[in-house]
Amino acid sequence: MESDYPVFSAAQMLRFVNEDAYLKFVYTHLLEKGHASETALEVLFNGEVLGDSAMTDEYELYAKKGDKQ
């Protein structure tokens, strides 16, 4: 049974963050507050990607880009 929800990938989320000004802003803020990089990426994934179909679609595009590299 395949899930409709995306699966967290730190590398994929980092590619997304590097291309989105809002996500980059929040990610930088979380790092400044002392969070580890992967924790900050997972917080963004859970808070901004899951449950938002537009963000999920965008996130999935970065999976495909990563496969090509």
Side-chain angles (χ1 to χ4, degrees), residues 3-18:
S3 175
D4 290 336
Y5 296 105
V7 176
F8 174 73
S9 163
Q12 182 176 341
M13 191 63 198
L14 187 58
R15 285 191 293 272
F16 189 10
V17 166
N18 285 329

Side-chain angles (χ1 to χ4, degrees), residues 1-68:
M1 179 178 198
E2 189 174 321
S3 175
D4 290 336
Y5 296 105
V7 176
F8 174 73
S9 163
Q12 182 176 341
M13 191 63 198
L14 187 58
R15 285 191 293 272
F16 189 10
V17 166
N18 285 329
E19 297 297 323
D20 185 277
Y22 171 72
L23 292 178
K24 186 178 275 190
F25 172 78
V26 177
Y27 175 70
T28 302
H29 181 73
L30 290 170
L31 293 179
E32 289 171 355
K33 293 292 182 183
H35 294 281
S37 177
E38 189 162 343
T39 301
L41 291 169
E42 194 165 1
V43 166
L44 284 172
F45 175 79
N46 290 331
E48 303 296 336
V49 174
L50 292 180
D52 183 327
S53 61
M55 292 294 271
T56 297
D57 291 345
E58 186 77 14
Y59 175 78
E60 293 298 333
L61 292 176
Y62 290 97
K64 294 173 185 163
K65 287 183 180 181
D67 293 341
K68 293 179 185 176

